[in-house]
Amino acid sequence: MRTLGICFGLMMASGCIVTTGSDTYESCDFDSDCNDLVDSCVSVSVDSGGVTFSNAICTSGCTDDLACPVSNNGNAGICENLDRGFLCYESCSFDFDCDPGFACYPLDVGGSICLPG
């Protein structure tokens, strides 16, 4: 989640307006948290070793990988259907490629994406 501070000063007084939001592939709680107007806050769950990990990310629907934006980390987006319809997910090679609260999971069709973990 990114925080943007906009500060200004007028003569001897100053003020700051802070805006918080989530970029595509980042954690969110509500649709309104997502900075990109085409994104929605989508809950994702993963069962791994008998444990269920859940988190929500800002993402959007897609028809192919080209419809998915590159993440702030520079990772390509992958269009994948994980029982929620086709959505964009951040690609990864290692867990540290993903934001905190997410891990890198391999796909059956090749490649890997960041999911809760």
Side-chain angles (χ1 to χ4, degrees):
M1 188 167 293
R2 304 208 181 275
T3 302
L4 173 66
I6 304 170
C7 298
F8 57 94
L10 298 171
M11 301 220 179
M12 301 294 264
S14 66
C16 220
I17 301 170
V18 177
T19 305
T20 303
S22 296
D23 291 322
T24 303
Y25 312 125
E26 291 182 346
S27 296
C28 56
D29 293 313
F30 306 101
D31 288 345
S32 59
D33 294 339
C34 301
N35 288 333
D36 192 324
L37 295 178
V38 299
D39 283 352
S40 297
C41 187
V42 177
S43 178
V44 181
S45 294
V46 175
D47 292 322
S48 180
V51 177
T52 300
F53 298 97
S54 295
N55 207 335
I57 62 169
C58 291
T59 189
S60 59
C62 55
T63 54
D64 58 35
D65 293 347
L66 295 175
C68 298
V70 173
S71 73
N72 285 336
N73 300 333
N75 299 330
I78 294 180
C79 184
E80 188 64 34
N81 183 0
L82 301 178
D83 298 327
R84 306 262 341 205
F86 283 92
L87 296 170
C88 292
Y89 296 91
E90 182 177 13
S91 67
C92 55
S93 297
F94 305 99
D95 287 344
F96 63 79
D97 291 334
C98 303
D99 284 345
F102 293 85
C104 191
Y105 289 89
L107 296 170
D108 293 338
V109 295
S112 299
I113 58 174
C114 296
L115 294 172

